[in-house]
Amino acid sequence: LWYEMGAFDSLVELGEDEITRDQVHTRIKEMYGEDVADLVVDNALKVADTDGSGSVSREELLRVHLMNPMARKHMDADCNNSIERAELLALATTSVGESHSAEIVERLFNELDSDNSGSVDSCELQLWLSKNFRMETVNVPGQMLDRGEIVAVQTRIRERFGENGCDK
């Protein structure tokens, strides 16, 4: 959802440093129509707002974009199933703006590249995702999201895009 919502600057007013709940609600309504439940907006915000501030920073937006398989597919220009610093910088420039991207990419890439190889493979990415995004904060009326459902989604992604994240 966040990747489809667009770049940071398209979601906020000029000069703002955080995406608010109202701005998330407005964009989701633009995308899906007037009858968007508050639960959808609240869950979208909870997924991206990793520091619990009630809003989404540029860095949080880039982090949540990395959750999206399509964003990762588009970012992996050489389709080698790894993320290089330049590829992350290209995504960041588009997602959070050129003037903010270098600092955020430096911090994020060092966090992602746990083996200090200069690239981030799928195992490093999956480990990072599991540490940084907690689905237990998302509310689904009458349903609990369990580990089996998460594995099923991961399996569907692998079947759709292959082990290396590229179309089969």
Side-chain angles (χ1 to χ4, degrees):
L1 177 66
W2 280 98
Y3 187 62
E4 290 80 16
M5 286 172 57
F8 188 91
D9 290 335
S10 72
L11 296 167
V12 299
E13 297 295 322
L14 186 63
E16 291 182 330
D17 291 327
E18 301 278 327
I19 302 168
T20 65
R21 184 193 184 284
D22 288 342
Q23 290 163 329
V24 172
H25 188 248
T26 298
R27 179 54 58 93
I28 291 174
K29 277 177 41 180
E30 289 170 1
M31 293 170 61
Y32 297 105
E34 293 294 322
D35 295 331
V36 176
D38 285 338
L39 180 66
V40 173
V41 175
D42 292 339
N43 282 341
L45 191 61
K46 284 180 184 180
V47 167
D49 179 22
T50 56
D51 68 2
S53 68
S55 59
V56 177
S57 69
R58 290 176 188 275
E59 184 167 340
E60 287 172 321
L61 182 66
L62 181 58
R63 289 171 177 270
V64 79
H65 279 188
L66 283 173
M67 287 179 62
N68 185 298
M70 286 306 282
R72 294 192 308 266
K73 179 180 184 256
H74 291 141
M75 180 178 43
D76 188 13
D78 55 10
C79 210
N80 68 351
N81 195 33
S82 66
I83 300 168
E84 283 74 35
R85 190 179 307 269
E87 292 171 327
L88 183 57
L89 183 59
L91 175 66
T93 299
T94 302
S95 297
V96 302
E98 187 172 358
S99 63
H100 301 278
S101 57
E103 177 185 332
I104 294 169
V105 165
E106 187 63 30
R107 188 169 41 251
L108 185 54
F109 194 82
N110 289 336
E111 195 177 307
L112 285 160
D113 186 18
S114 59
D115 65 2
N116 297 313
S117 66
S119 66
V120 179
D121 65 27
S122 60
C123 293
E124 288 172 305
L125 181 63
Q126 289 302 318
L127 179 62
W128 179 82
L129 287 170
S130 70
K131 288 179 180 177
N132 285 276
F133 295 98
R134 304 281 184 235
M135 294 304 289
E136 61 265 12
T137 63
V138 174
N139 296 313
V140 180
Q143 179 181 352
M144 296 286 291
L145 186 64
D146 65 24
R147 178 77 180 136
E149 290 170 312
I150 294 170
V151 170
V153 169
Q154 290 171 335
T155 300
R156 285 196 302 271
I157 290 169
R158 278 193 298 276
E159 288 171 354
R160 169 73 169 89
F161 296 106
E163 288 299 319
N164 67 356
C166 299
D167 280 329
K168 288 185 169 184

